Amino acid sequence: MGVQTTVHLLRHGEVHNPAGVLYGRLDGFHLSDLGRQMAQRIAESIGDRDITHMRTSPLERAQETIAPLAAVRGLTPVIDPRVIESTNKFQGMSFADGGMTFVKRPHLLRHMYNPFTPSWGEPYDEIAGRMVAAIHDARDAAVGHEAVVVSHQLPIWTTRLFLEKRSYVHHPKNRQCTLCSLTSIVFDDERMVQVRYSEPAGDLIPVGDRSAPFSAGGAPREDRP
């Protein structure tokens, strides 16, 4: 057995987004109060782990999520554009009306012709390629230890599908990647040997948000506390 290194892919916490905007790569979307609690939970849950390297998406919500853990570990995260959110033709639109979005705006359906690429956003292969490159760099920076990479739901889930040699085609509600979840990739030297999943902040997530494809903290919901 060689040297074991673990790279944790951490999804950001809940975002203050009362209008239900699909924010994508837009600036100005920060963690909600609950999102900051989630970030603190991460620091409390894994702050004592052998984490020697961190990197993060340049978006505010990702940097705010890693901040408490970085403070505990005394590390300065590397800003890595390769782990940013994926592009999407629906960026900036409000999906606060849930399933009625496409009923009210049927012209959007013209983007939905190919679920394999997908036709409405950044190609899955490109997402996986940039994410895996960043993961390898994080692994190399933390050989024999652990690294944390803060990213977003679709890039993390796409990476997991790629590593597990599964089809990219999926329904967004079926992604196993809740807010502030950890998708942990274990390497033996340079060979990936295991992918693990955990939810350190799972009990903080409102029930209706567990399968949401993006975070809409502050939006009216019956199940919100």
Side-chain angles (χ1 to χ4, degrees):
M1 185 174 181
V3 176
Q4 182 169 300
T5 307
T6 301
V7 178
H8 304 281
L9 303 182
L10 170 63
R11 186 187 172 193
H12 62 79
E14 185 188 78
V15 176
H16 181 68
N17 182 20
V21 173
L22 183 61
Y23 38 70
R25 296 183 176 183
L26 296 175
D27 292 328
F29 285 87
H30 298 267
L31 294 185
S32 65
D33 289 342
L34 181 58
R36 287 190 286 273
Q37 290 180 46
M38 293 176 180
Q40 188 59 43
R41 173 69 65 81
I42 291 297
E44 294 168 356
S45 299
I46 64 171
D48 60 349
R49 301 287 293 266
D50 185 24
I51 298 167
T52 61
H53 178 77
M54 297 179 182
R55 59 185 57 217
T56 179
S57 160
L59 296 175
E60 293 104 321
R61 58 190 184 272
Q63 294 192 56
E64 292 168 1
T65 298
I66 196 65
L69 180 61
V72 168
R73 297 300 305 169
L75 297 172
T76 300
V78 175
I79 305 299
D80 192 337
R82 295 173 298 180
V83 301
I84 198 171
E85 178 65 280
S86 57
T87 58
N88 192 300
K89 294 184 185 297
F90 306 130
Q91 177 176 293
M93 297 181 184
S94 173
F95 284 75
D97 53 4
M100 295 300 293
T101 297
F102 290 104
V103 175
K104 294 179 178 179
R105 290 176 280 186
H107 65 281
L108 297 178
L109 291 172
R110 73 181 189 275
H111 299 301
M112 305 295 287
Y113 61 88
N114 183 358
F116 297 95
T117 303
S119 52
W120 57 84
E122 183 179 0
Y124 291 129
D125 279 335
E126 293 183 10
I127 297 172
R130 60 179 173 82
M131 287 289 292
V132 168
I135 290 166
H136 286 172
D137 284 352
R139 178 202 62 204
D140 292 346
V143 172
H145 306 278
E146 300 181 28
V148 175
V149 178
V150 186
S151 187
H152 309 268
Q153 188 189 65
L154 182 56
I156 293 173
W157 183 242
T158 300
T159 301
R160 181 171 174 183
L161 294 176
F162 172 80
L163 293 174
E164 295 181 340
K165 297 180 172 57
R166 296 158 60 186
S167 171
Y168 289 136
V169 180
H170 66 279
H171 192 289
K173 289 189 175 182
N174 294 331
R175 297 170 186 163
Q176 190 181 38
C177 188
T178 59
L179 295 166
C180 272
S181 61
L182 290 168
T183 299
S184 303
I185 305 165
V186 182
F187 292 92
D188 182 11
D189 288 335
E190 297 183 356
R191 183 173 64 92
M192 187 203 76
V193 295
Q194 186 180 22
V195 177
R196 299 194 297 253
Y197 177 78
S198 61
E199 299 179 356
D203 61 303
L204 298 176
I205 303 172
V207 174
D209 288 350
R210 293 189 63 82
S211 60
F214 65 97
S215 179
R221 301 189 61 103
E222 293 181 358
D223 59 340
R224 286 185 180 279

